[in-house]
Amino acid sequence: MNRMDTIALDVKQQVLIYFQENLPRYTVLDIRRQSYHPEDHYLYMVSAKKDDGTYTVWTCWNQSIKSLNCGHYDLLSEESCERIMDEYYFSGDSK
């Protein structure tokens, strides 16, 4: 199962609308929670593939204001996106 399948439908719809209106050269690949801390319920991360073959990760989609920030551009693979998303995920665990 794709992780994006577990994201709330309203979040997926809003992200897809945002991309359609503002970033039409990108195809959304994945949407993940930024953390599962209750106070972060509105924060997500989004990865996408651009029509030139490069990839991008935005480590902050704010669902409450429908805003996309903190982009990591010109990545060469979907795996690079996954590594960045893993790095920016807040688990709440102490290291």
Side-chain angles (χ1 to χ4, degrees), residues 21-40:
E21 292 175 356
N22 300 290
L23 297 167
R25 296 180 61 201
Y26 288 87
T27 301
V28 174
L29 299 173
D30 196 7
I31 302 170
R32 296 188 196 179
R33 295 282 307 261
Q34 199 178 70
S35 85
Y36 280 91
H37 189 281
E39 293 177 9
D40 294 337

Side-chain angles (χ1 to χ4, degrees), residues 76-93:
L76 300 178
S77 68
E78 194 169 345
E79 292 77 22
S80 295
C81 296
E82 291 172 8
R83 281 192 299 275
I84 290 170
M85 291 172 109
D86 289 345
E87 180 183 330
Y88 279 82
Y89 174 75
F90 176 71
S91 68
D93 296 336

Side-chain angles (χ1 to χ4, degrees), residues 38-82:
E39 293 177 9
D40 294 337
H41 64 90
Y42 59 95
L43 297 175
Y44 294 84
M45 296 181 282
V46 179
S47 65
K49 184 174 183 178
K50 193 173 180 182
D51 61 7
D52 69 359
T54 63
Y55 297 82
T56 302
V57 171
W58 292 268
T59 54
C60 188
W61 166 262
N62 185 322
Q63 178 64 10
S64 64
I65 60 173
K66 314 299 186 274
S67 175
L68 193 62
N69 291 294
C70 304
H72 302 256
Y73 298 91
D74 298 321
L75 302 173
L76 300 178
S77 68
E78 194 169 345
E79 292 77 22
S80 295
C81 296
E82 291 172 8

